[in-house]
């Protein structure tokens, strides 16, 4: 898979809240970190799958759209920064969650993600 396929697949997994599709994008020993928000990292494809199942299956949040604002390629091959807005409905409210993903991709799989989300928007989603 190339970078475009991975980013599109990542956003499709978010839109459909499919932890299985998201985990399939990762290397077996992939790492997914949340530098903001106090969530522990997910280490390995199966922990990524389980963590996202727990997160996405628990709430009454419905993802309406994941909008890519920009894809920045870095000087390091396989490293990209994705700017995105995730539009969700929670508790009858529409909430936009801005975020950045720093993806490190090797051999067509994600080996490392740093997932930066607007924690105040996440708090509004949880409160709704």
């Amino acid at each position: 898979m190339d970078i475009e396929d991975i980013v599109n697949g990542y956003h499709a997994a978010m839109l459909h809240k499919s932890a299985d599709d998201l985990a399939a994008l990762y290397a077996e020993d992939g790492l997914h970190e949340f530098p903001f928000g106090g969530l522990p990292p997910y280490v390995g494809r199966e922990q990524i799958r389980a963590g996202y199942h727990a997160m996405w299956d628990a709430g009454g949040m419905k993802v309406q759209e994941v909008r890519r604002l920009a894809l920045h390629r870095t000087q390091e091959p396989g490293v990209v920064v994705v700017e995105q807005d995730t539009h969700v409905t929670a508790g009858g409210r529409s909430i936009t969650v801005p975020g950045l993903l720093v993806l490190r991709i090797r051999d067509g799989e994600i080996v490392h993600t740093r997932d930066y989300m607007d924690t105040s928007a996440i708090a509004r989603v949880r409160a709704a």
Side-chain angles (χ1 to χ4, degrees):
M1 257 195 255
D2 69 11
I3 288 171
E4 282 291 327
D5 292 335
I6 289 172
V7 172
N8 290 336
Y10 195 108
H11 285 164
M14 290 175 64
L15 181 63
H16 302 294
K17 292 173 50 174
S18 175
D20 294 327
D21 289 349
L22 183 65
L25 298 171
Y26 279 82
E28 187 174 333
D29 61 348
L31 173 64
H32 190 111
E33 296 181 296
F34 303 93
F36 303 137
L39 294 173
Y42 299 145
V43 181
R45 183 185 297 142
E46 294 313 312
Q47 204 174 84
I48 292 164
R49 181 187 323 276
Y52 270 93
H53 264 301
M55 191 183 325
W56 287 340
D57 295 349
M61 171 192 79
K62 169 83 172 115
V63 179
Q64 300 296 325
E65 178 185 15
V66 181
R67 182 175 300 154
R68 181 200 305 183
L69 304 175
L71 174 69
H72 304 281
R73 296 178 187 270
T74 68
Q75 292 181 351
E76 187 174 341
V79 177
V80 295
V81 177
V82 182
E83 295 181 58
Q84 63 192 28
D85 281 341
T86 305
H87 301 275
V88 303
T89 304
R93 295 176 49 203
S94 294
I95 301 168
T96 299
V97 181
L100 287 174
L101 296 172
V102 179
L103 302 174
R104 182 175 305 278
I105 300 162
R106 187 178 321 121
D107 298 327
E109 296 179 313
I110 300 170
V111 295
H112 187 191
T113 297
R114 291 181 59 85
D115 191 343
Y116 297 90
M117 295 176 284
D118 179 342
T119 55
S120 65
I122 296 296
R124 288 193 305 276
V125 170
R126 288 181 179 150

